[in-house]
């Protein structure tokens, strides 16, 4: 695996600041950040490298007024792909999004404008989604004569349930605003989604990396297991995380009465 500093990007912008906050920007504004094959390859590269590059959290944002217009429909049409070829494309999408969901680095998606089709699949692989008033969510696959291929049947159905997902795909129904939060497409609805995403990334980055690794990989893995196996795996993960050196000082501070209490403002 090549380190982050060795990677070059054509469709992404990637930075890592002194707080350990990585910012990954979808940078194809002219095409509304539609996901072509090159962008998916770059997402695989960056999310393979980030966990080992010292990133403590990541903001996933986009250039321009829209987060992401989904699959690059023009590339797909021009390539006139066979079923086998498109299956391989989908496997690359899964690789990218699995790197995100299971990579152990908290990813906060700063959303705006269209979050549609594969764009929603991408956003769903983040750990937290922050929307603004102009953000809208859709799955226009049915109207395009397509089907989801980037994990929506798992992640979007997991967020909102299969009945709502099927409705979105069949009818083109869009969600936005408080309704999008209420159904589970976003966890925050704010004026400035980028500022909020950065604030949340900084908050997450203050946790010990091993705790974040568990939170941002184990929960997802455990959803894939039987309840019995998930409970066993939870105990094993907690055995490692809850006895880490980094937790000792925090526990000591609590015992001494100097640690912050968990109280609403
Ligand atoms: C694109 C794409 C795209 C824009 N692929 N080129 N996704 C969709 O069905 C959504 C398709 N896009 C739209 O509905 C609109 O573009 C937006 C609502 C997102 C934005 O509208 P607008 O007015 O700001 O931009 P535009 O004029 O529609 O597009 C600007 C340019 O971006 C134009 O290119 P140009 O060369 O003519 O300037 C568009 O062609 C280009 N563009 N969206 C390619 N998606 C793994 S399976 C996943 C299946 C799916 O994702 S299905 C959902 C596909």
């Amino acid at each position: 695996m090549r380190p982050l500093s060795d990677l070059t990007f054509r469709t992404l912008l990637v930075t890592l600041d002194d707080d350990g906050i990585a910012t990954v920007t979808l940078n194809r504004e002219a095409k509304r950040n539609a996901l072509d094959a090159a962008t998916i390859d770059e997402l695989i590269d960056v999310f393979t490298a980030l966990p080992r590059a010292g990133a403590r959290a990541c903001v996933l944002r986009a250039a321009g007024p829209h987060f992401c217009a989904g699959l690059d429909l023009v590339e797909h049409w021009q390539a006139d792909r066979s079923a086998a070829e498109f299956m391989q494309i989908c496997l690359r999408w899964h690789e990218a999004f699995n790197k995100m969901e299971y990579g152990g680095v908290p990813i906060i998606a700063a959303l705006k404008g269209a979050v549609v089709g594969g764009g929603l699949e991408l956003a769903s692989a983040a750990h937290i989604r922050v929307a603004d008033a102009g953000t809208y969510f859709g799955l226009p696959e049915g109207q395009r004569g397509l089907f989801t291929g980037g994990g929506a049947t798992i992640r979007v159905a997991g967020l909102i349930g299969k009945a709502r997902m099927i409705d979105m795909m069949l009818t083109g129904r869009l969600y936005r605003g408080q309704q999008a939060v209420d159904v589970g497409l976003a966890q925050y609805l704010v004026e400035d989604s980028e500022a909020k995403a950065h604030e949340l990334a900084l908050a997450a980055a203050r946790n010990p990396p091993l705790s974040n690794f568990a939170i941002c990989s184990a929960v997802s893995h455990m959803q894939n297991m039987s309840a019995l196996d998930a409970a066993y795996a939870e105990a094993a993960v907690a055995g490692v995380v809850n006895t880490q050196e980094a937790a000792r000082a925090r526990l000591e501070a609590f015992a001494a009465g100097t640690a912050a209490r968990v109280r609403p403002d």
Side-chain angles (χ1 to χ4, degrees):
M1 190 212 69
R2 289 184 297 156
L4 195 56
S5 53
D6 282 4
L7 298 174
T8 52
F9 300 103
R10 193 169 59 78
T11 63
L12 302 179
L13 288 175
V14 179
T15 61
L16 181 60
D17 71 16
D18 292 342
D19 294 317
I21 309 298
T23 301
V24 175
T25 302
L26 304 174
N27 196 31
R28 275 187 97 208
E29 177 181 350
K31 300 296 178 185
R32 306 307 183 254
N33 301 312
L35 298 171
D36 61 357
T39 304
I40 295 296
D41 285 348
E42 293 189 2
L43 288 170
I44 293 172
D45 286 346
V46 70
F47 287 110
T48 300
L50 270 191
R52 281 186 265 183
R56 295 179 68 102
C58 172
V59 173
L60 175 65
R61 62 179 294 278
H66 296 286
F67 177 73
C68 179
L71 175 70
D72 189 316
L73 297 169
V74 178
E75 179 187 67
H76 184 60
W77 172 68
Q78 286 174 342
D80 196 17
R81 294 162 171 140
S82 68
E85 284 167 347
F86 194 66
M87 191 183 73
Q88 292 299 328
I89 293 281
C90 291
L91 292 181
R92 298 292 282 167
W93 283 52
H94 293 313
E95 191 174 340
F97 298 170
N98 287 342
K99 295 269 184 215
M100 293 171 62
E101 182 178 353
Y102 294 92
V105 175
I107 301 171
I108 326 293
L111 305 176
K112 57 188 166 180
V115 184
V116 301
L120 177 51
E121 296 183 300
L122 170 63
S124 303
H127 301 99
I128 302 177
R129 279 155 296 281
V130 183
D132 68 11
T135 305
Y136 62 96
F137 300 87
L139 291 172
E141 277 81 352
Q143 292 78 57
R144 301 278 183 227
L146 303 173
F147 188 68
T148 58
T153 52
I154 302 132
R155 293 193 185 89
V156 178
L159 290 174
I160 66 175
K162 71 177 180 182
R164 285 195 188 94
M165 180 186 167
I166 290 170
D167 177 20
M168 289 174 79
M169 291 180 76
L170 283 178
T171 67
R173 180 175 184 170
L174 302 178
Y175 284 97
R176 65 198 307 174
Q178 189 56 44
Q179 199 182 17
V181 175
D182 291 344
V183 299
L185 287 164
Q187 290 114 300
Y188 294 86
L189 177 62
V190 294
E191 202 172 310
D192 184 341
S193 57
E194 296 207 5
K196 185 69 179 177
H198 195 255
E199 175 194 321
L200 296 171
L202 281 172
R206 286 193 282 274
N207 303 330
L210 188 60
S211 296
N212 282 345
F213 176 79
I215 294 163
C216 296
S217 66
V219 176
S220 290
H221 277 293
M222 285 159 195
Q223 299 295 304
N224 301 329
M225 300 177 191
S226 71
L228 197 63
D229 288 339
Y232 180 79
E234 186 186 75
V237 172
V240 175
V241 175
N242 296 9
T243 57
Q244 66 177 314
E245 188 58 34
R248 294 290 303 164
R250 293 169 188 246
L251 296 170
E252 187 180 356
F254 183 83
T258 57
R261 266 34 188 175
V262 182
R263 294 187 182 117
D265 295 336

